[in-house]
Amino acid sequence: MSSAGSSDAARVSRRDDAVRAAVEQGLLAPDRPIVALLDVPGIRASAAALRAAFEAVTAPGTPVLHAFAVKATPLVPVLRLLREEGVGAEVASPGELALARAAGIAPGRTVLDSPAKTPADLREALALGIAVNADSPQELDRIDAAVRSAATRSPIGIRVNPQVGGGSIGALSTATATSKFGVALRDEGARAWIVRAYADRPWLTRLHAHSGSQGMPLPLMARGVAETYALAEEINRHVGRRQVDTIDIGGGLPVDFGSDAMAPTYEQYARLLAEVTPGLFDGRYGLVTEFGRSLLAKHGTVLARVEYTKSAGGRAVAVTHAGVQVATRTVYAPESWPLRIAAYDAKGRPKTGPDVVQDVAGPACFAGDLLAEGRPLPLLEQGDHVAALDTGAYYFAHHYAYNSLARPGIYGYAPAEGDPGTTRFAVVRTPQTLAEIVTESGGPHTHSLTSL
């Protein structure tokens, strides 16, 4: 077995152990019918693989910042873990910045990207020394005013849209001709405006693009990076010096949701970039990456109890407590976001038996609340458990409060030191209480409308 295959097998084994332990230790019970689990050794391994992949292709001494896209898994303990693994933060809102700061991530290892930064957002980032990528000419005007009024240590750049095309998921394609992100590089006059903007502002020292995401083929992502590198070279030739000293290549490495394999790998992507754009890695430019989904997706599992089973139209249906509230994208766009489902018995052991075509339904009160439709699985029974796999990014940390369903508790897990057969858990986020739901829904202001 290859080292990658061995790693994938070890991850599956840890997950199976964690599911069984979650049932045995009461994290999952009749009154706690859903829980989310994070594989801590797996997260550490992904961070190490990312660092190693780029170290292998960059010249010695090249400054490289891997900034985790906080939007992928906005959980403070996760950000703190990644900080320990040498990963910073890419934030796109005041809330995400607050999470990064709570996790202890230094301003110098934080990047602010957003298409809608307010003046207050910009002032805070520039005061703290956080890197800022301007998303539009109007935003650059605001930064001009801020830089004139107060000195800043922030590295500042412009985000460009290389307009190289989209992938298979339109809603996630950030480098199309009409994408809302960045300055559209191929629009009439845009390239000349960008070069002139750098010539007029010696403090513009970075260039940023993000051309990848789920559904994007690696060659197209690499083309977007190559276009950005070519622009940096053009700017520096025009100004006659190395003014652009750092290129932010974004993130967006897709994830294989169809198997346990970590594919494509950071190593494959870094090698492709080095082949397509070797000058990017020769030491003349610092690098920033902004990976999110690819760091966390494979390391998360939603585990839910089967509350009831029934048959409808001749098809078996398992009604569970995991649905649209934790897997919104899958429920509303199942063709783009299919999830693998694993079946476990009442004791949390992998379920065996002949496959039966069945639906795995969630608890929300609409017909489309399905984690999986017509899926062959060992026949699920009342009291069994289902696991939605590869949900560590953009799933259980992005709660959708349909039917006022409570946010599940989230726990990290790892084998006990010296006893790999025993699983230890750590709280990442406590389960939401009914009192908290009432408070979020205006409970403290019960009589506010009747008093008008």
Side-chain angles (χ1 to χ4, degrees), residues 224-239:
V225 173
E227 295 276 356
T228 308
Y229 167 80
L231 178 59
E233 293 279 274
E234 180 180 344
I235 292 168
N236 286 345
R237 284 195 303 270
H238 180 80
V239 300

Side-chain angles (χ1 to χ4, degrees), residues 281-361:
F281 300 98
D282 63 11
R284 291 177 298 127
Y285 292 100
L287 292 174
V288 177
T289 73
E290 300 173 355
F291 296 103
R293 179 184 294 105
S294 55
L295 274 167
L296 264 292
K298 287 289 179 185
H299 309 305
T301 301
V302 173
L303 184 63
R305 198 162 57 87
V306 176
E307 195 67 45
Y308 300 107
T309 59
K310 61 177 71 173
S311 177
R315 180 181 293 175
V317 180
V319 180
T320 80
H321 291 270
V324 71
Q325 84 278 29
V326 290
T328 312
R329 286 178 169 178
T330 292
V331 168
Y332 285 126
E335 299 82 8
S336 296
W337 299 101
L339 283 177
R340 292 184 299 133
I341 304 296
Y344 293 87
D345 67 16
K347 294 185 177 180
R349 301 169 301 193
K351 185 144 190 175
T352 59
D355 283 346
V356 175
V357 174
Q358 54 198 300
D359 292 350
V360 180

Side-chain angles (χ1 to χ4, degrees), residues 174-198:
T174 57
T176 60
T178 56
S179 171
K180 74 177 188 179
F181 293 104
V183 178
L185 192 53
R186 299 183 184 183
D187 281 16
E188 184 177 356
R191 195 178 192 98
W193 177 86
I194 292 168
V195 173
R196 189 166 60 251
Y198 279 82

